[in-house]
Structure formats: C-alpha cells, structure tokens
Amino acid sequence: MKAMRTLVRTSAIALAASLLATPALAEDGYDLWLRARASASTQPVVSRLGDTPTLRLAEAELRRDLPVAATLPIVVALAGDASLASLRLPVGELGDEGYLVRPVTLGGRQTLLVTGNTDRGVLYGAFALIRHASSGNQPGAANLRSAPKVKLRLLNHWDNLDGPVERGYAGESLWDWWTLPDYRDPRYTDYARANASIGINGTVLNNVNAKADSLTAPYIAKAAALADTFRPWGIRVYLSARFSAPIELGGLKTADPRDPAVAAWWKAKADEIYRTIPDFGGFLVKANSEGQPGPRDYGASHGDGANMLAAAVKPHGGIVMWRAFVYADTDPDDRAKQAYTEFKPLDGTFADNVMVQVKNGAIDFQPREPFHPLFGAMPKTPLMMEFQITKEYLGQATHLAYLGPLFTEVLEAKTGRGKETVASVVDGESERHRLTGMAGVANIGNDRDWTGGTFNQANWYAFGRLAWDPLLDAAGIAREWAQQTFGTDPRIVGPVVDMMMRSREAVVDYTGPFGLAHLMATGHHYGPGPWVSELQRPEWNPVYYHRADKQGIGFDRTRTGSNAVAQYAPTVAKLYANPRTTPEAELLWFHHLPWNYRLKNGETLWDGMVHHYDRGVSTVTAMRREWDGLRPMVDAERWEKTATFLAIQEREARWWRDASLAYWQSVNGLPLPAGSAAPEHDLAWYKAQQFPLAPGNPH
Ligand code: GCV
C-alpha cells in the first residue's frame, strides 16, 4: 500500500514537473501561419453588412483571429452595399477578388472598413488585415488594397484514390475517398481556410497520373462533397482526367479526340459533373507523357485533344489545363527540347478555354533550372506556370529548402522579347490574355503539421502569395511567414529569414552546382546517383544529363550540341550560347566544359565545383547552429522536429557531397583542392546504398 502511495506521489510530481517544463505555447504545427488569436483584451468589435456564407466567414475570422487590439470598430461589407454608396470607394480596379481595407466614417462613426466587390474579396481583405496585424502592424491604421494579378491560383494534388500521394512526403492523402461523401472530415474546412488565407482559389483533387475511376458517379459525388465544403472559402474543385476514360468507362473502342462518339462521351460526362458540381473548374490533363494515354496514340495532336475536352466543358464555363510536360522514348532529341518542339507549332490553335500548363524548367523541377523556353514562345496561348511545392528533388520533407528564391528567380527571368519576363507571361500582362494561372504541386498530406515539417509550410505559403502577386519578393514573403509562424520578435524573425534565404542555394551546392541536374538516385529521387547509367530510357539516367568524362563535364546545348539554346529568343539564346556570358549558376546546363575551364574567380571548374559542394555542407552546419540559438524562443515541439531534421540534412548534405565527389574523381582522376576533405567512404559504398521503401515513389 505504502509502495503504491509512493508511486502515485512520485507520478504526480513527475507529471507536475513535466507540465511545468512544457512551454505554454507548445504546439504541433497544425495551425500553420494562422496562429494568431484575439484575446479577451484585444477582441475587436466586428459587424457585418449583408449576409452570405463567405461574409460570415470574414466576420468570424476577424473576430477570432485579429491578434492586436483594433482602435476602431471593424465593418465587413460588400462595396456595392447601399450604406457605402456615399463613400465613393475606389473599388473599380479590384475586380472580383480584390479587397480594400481602410478607415472611413460610416454613419458618423470612425470605422475600419473591410470591403471588396464580392464576398470573396471581402474574405481576402479580412485575411490581409489579420496578416497585417500578425506581422506587428497596428490594424486601426491599416490601409490595404490589392487585387490578384493571376486569375487561377491552384494547388495540384498528386493524390491517388487509395491514399498514397505521388511525390508526397507528409503522410497520406488528406482526402478520405472511402468515407466521402458521407463523412466530411473537419480538416477539409481547415484546408480550405488555410488556402483562402493566402489567396488560393482552386484545387485539382487527384493525381495527373489519373485513374478513370475519378470520373465515375460515386467519385463525382465525393468530389462534390469537397466542393461544397470549399465553396464558401472561394475555392473550386478541378479533376485530373484520364484521356482513355471513354474506353475504360464508356466501353468505346477508341479515345481518338476526332471521333464524334468520343467527343459525345466527354460532353455527357461534363454535363454529368456540372449537374453535381455546378461551379466545377475543369480538367487537368497529362497526356502522352510517362506512359499516360493521349491524342498522340491516334496520330492526333495535343491541340486536338485539348480542344475536344474544352468543347465539353465550355457550355458550363469550365476550362482545360493541358500539360506541356511531354517527352517521348521514341524521340532521340535532347529531352529539354521536346516540349517546345511539340507545343510551339500549336500556338494559336487552342480553344479560348484552354491553358497550356508549363513546368518552370524544361526538365523536371530540379534544384535549379533555367526558365522553360516555352515562356515567351507561345504568345497566342495562355500559359499556366507549374511549380512543384513538394520538394521531390530538394531533399523532400526533411531538408530545409525555402523555395521562394527558386520561384522568383524563374518569374523574374527575362524572356528576351522586349521587357517581357516570365511573370508578365504568366500574369497575362504581356499578351493581355483573359485566362491566367499558376499551379503548385502540393506538399500537403494528413501529417498533423500538413507538410511534414514546419519550414515546408513556408513553401505552400510562398506559392500562394506569389500566385496572387508574382512580383512579390522572396525575402519579404519569408519575413511575413516567419512573423506569423514564430512571432514578431526580430531576434527570431531575423535568423529564421536568414536561414530560409540561404537554404535553397545550399541544396543546389551539395546536390549539383553550376547547373548540373537530375543526378538523383533512381525512383525515389532522394539521394545521390550520378553514376546511374543502366536504365532503359537514356533520359532517365543521370549520366545522360552530366555527360562527365575524363576531359570535362556538362550538357552541350549550343549549336555544337543539341542546340536547345535556339529555343530561346535571340538575345537570350546569344547569352546562353557562350560560356562566358552564361550565368555561372547555369553553366553546365548549357555547356560541356573541360575540368580546367577557368571560372570568373580564376579557379578551375573542378576546384570551383568542390568548393560549392563544401559550401553546401557548411551552410547547413551554419543553419543548424542558427536554429540551436533559437531554442529558448520556439516552442519545444516545433523546435525539436526542425532541429532533428537539420541534423539529418547536415548528415545527408555530406553524403551528397562525398558521393558526388567520389564519383567525379573516379571519372576525372583529379585530386581535391587543398583544404577539402576526402569522401568518407569509397564509391562502391555510396553505390550500394538502396532505399526501396522511400516515400512518395510510385510503385
Ligand atoms: C506525376 C516527374 C515525377 C513524376 C510525376 C511527373 C509529372 O517525372 O517524378 O512522379 O508524375 O514528374 O510531372 O507528371
């Protein structure tokens, strides 16, 4: 009995001690960047004019989440509300999603007005005000006005219907297709809210490597349940469509887009979807790429395929997003050229509700790629940008790599047509396209923190903010994310932003500097595999991309090689044609150069490469140290997980460096420059590492 009492007392003491040791703010990352809450003392006075579900959400968000006392009462209202008429608000240019937040006199009272031409605009205004206050600003003095520059701001989920997410590293799919449409997990609402807070207004629910099942009546009903949940948050649903569905579901003999029976099947299917989801956004299609069916199977063009589907959704106001990510095993030409070769001649042939969705670079979401040459080459076609938020090739969920600089580097690139930039192609400014869009391959799963790690949340956030305004700068976005995620104390915001802004370049340095690309191991794409040469298709092998031999390294894409440079506008092509005028960060993407080529700083290419690998590792070490210093300022749970991930990243940055250098040395026989350590193991050891069960890899 006595023993029992002692045990109880000891446990109680242990429990009390553990409670005391747990910081008040301990949390698991579920709240993302939306951690702000109004307290009893800051509870704002919020009223609403008008009544729609979305206006009610705007009101509730402000009431609950405005973290700083507003000196003025807040009113949310549609700009067209009769009681605002006398204010003559400058809302003309806000379009149907922009917002205006400013102090006004309403009914004789000073008020902070949150308004827009639609209730979605008002909701975005509410989130903008919360963001403003959570970043340390006084809400009462807010004067905010913004309209999205890009019309369609979409997540692409590569989620399979049975749960796994292709290239997903944050658990399984959020969508529980099995229990839908009956059970609507409250998390679906939280997902929509998070997206709305950063302006995302659409989501493609299923993998582009699509199953036809997603177009059957039961799955349409499931998608409709999600659409109902998302609608008040301004989010529409879209589906990836499998091109051969008329055969698989409709029993037709062909999926040839020129066959009237095929067109009729798709039209009936679209009508069926719109009967269930009246505001269905449209279809995303991966055709004739990596084994997917498509119009080329019948000798028809991508234009034929896209236009046939576009005709089916057109009466309902839907669109088709047709991916340009194509390369064929029958085409011996440089893989980087194939999308342009296929799509450029189709410019001007697409229906007006088709967008061609183009990855940011010509290969596949590498840590660094020059911008895709299709941007600027198809002026008559609206091009949708496709970024990858999930870091398939940048260390997946564990490595810290803030993608803001990757996204902005591409958006800011000049296409060589006058003042045109990739951003001005994407936001439609360049050719005044009505349809504009940006898609991000989602990094979201059912992990408690949504993205498999706190810093991965920043990439979701940055994508949303850049889709709203592609001219925002990466450091500014990092700062506002850090302020909302960790609090506004400059002693934490400064180091966090610093870590983030160095992180992507660190990954480039330790995985493949100077424009080297696609050096990852087979299948899972996680660790190094520059030696891989035995895969069936040449362009699946890293040796295809780096072309290293005793004399030199790099892919000659100039006139003496594949001449991919000629796909760029002449001024850009001229720069890329010459190693001296090619940015050194992209050097080996365009040129095959001797190992003793002299870099601008006087080093040989080989020594420069080694120094970049070294720098990649030492940057991660420095990031780790910076994070260690933040321990007293971050809640234990999020601090611990990031600290552990940084330790993994440091170990694996060294693995990447050592494996790569061991391999390059086996090819060039050169010694390492003075001061650079020899790889820890021999090449055979690195080659022997296998990860058959790595996540995200389709089996
Ligand atoms: C969805 C890369 C990925 C594939 C992905 C493909 C695509 O090749 O490794 O998993 O498939 O891109 O974008 O279609």
Side-chain angles (χ1 to χ4, degrees), residues 158 166-167 208-209 286 290 323 325 359 364 392:
W158 287 356
E166 183 157 346
R167 310 310 175 185
V208 285
N209 291 332
K286 171 176 178 177
E290 300 184 333
R323 294 177 90 222
F325 177 68
K359 288 189 180 182
D364 194 13
E392 176 180 353

Side-chain angles (χ1 to χ4, degrees), residues 133-277:
S134 313
S135 311
N137 302 299
Q138 226 334 296
N143 200 339
L144 313 171
R145 177 195 169 88
S146 181
K149 295 202 167 77
V150 176
K151 193 174 155 100
L152 303 175
R153 307 176 298 278
L154 266 55
L155 289 183
N156 286 184
H157 287 270
W158 287 356
D159 294 20
N160 294 324
L161 304 182
D162 56 351
V165 179
E166 183 157 346
R167 310 310 175 185
Y169 313 104
E172 296 258 299
S173 174
L174 264 192
W175 326 132
D176 186 348
W177 293 104
W178 193 247
T179 56
L180 278 165
D182 303 293
Y183 179 60
R184 300 178 186 197
D185 190 329
R187 197 161 181 180
Y188 302 153
T189 301
D190 294 343
Y191 163 87
R193 171 173 175 259
N195 279 318
S197 77
I198 49 174
I200 287 171
N201 66 0
T203 180
V204 183
L205 298 173
N206 60 319
N207 193 350
V208 285
N209 291 332
K211 286 245 186 293
D213 308 58
S214 64
L215 299 172
T216 58
Y219 278 89
I220 293 170
K222 292 167 194 283
L226 291 173
D228 291 344
T229 308
F230 300 164
R231 191 168 296 115
W233 299 94
I235 293 167
R236 288 182 173 207
V237 304
Y238 299 71
L239 290 173
S240 294
R242 182 164 171 85
F243 200 75
S244 53
I247 302 174
E248 289 155 51
L249 301 182
L252 301 188
K253 293 243 158 8
T254 177
D256 187 336
R258 296 160 303 186
D259 186 316
V262 171
W265 187 88
W266 279 109
K267 187 174 173 340
K269 184 50 71 181
D271 293 348
E272 180 190 347
I273 296 174
Y274 279 95
R275 273 197 299 277
T276 321
I277 313 174

Side-chain angles (χ1 to χ4, degrees), residues 346-389:
L346 299 176
D347 191 26
T349 67
F350 289 99
D352 65 1
N353 57 334
V354 173
M355 303 194 73
V356 172
Q357 183 165 311
V358 183
K359 288 189 180 182
N360 59 271
I363 297 293
D364 194 13
F365 301 135
Q366 297 304 295
R368 170 165 282 120
E369 290 192 41
F371 72 93
H372 201 300
L374 276 174
F375 292 110
M378 294 184 70
K380 297 191 192 116
T381 309
L383 298 186
M384 186 152 179
M385 169 63 79
E386 180 175 317
F387 284 126
Q388 193 182 44
I389 308 172

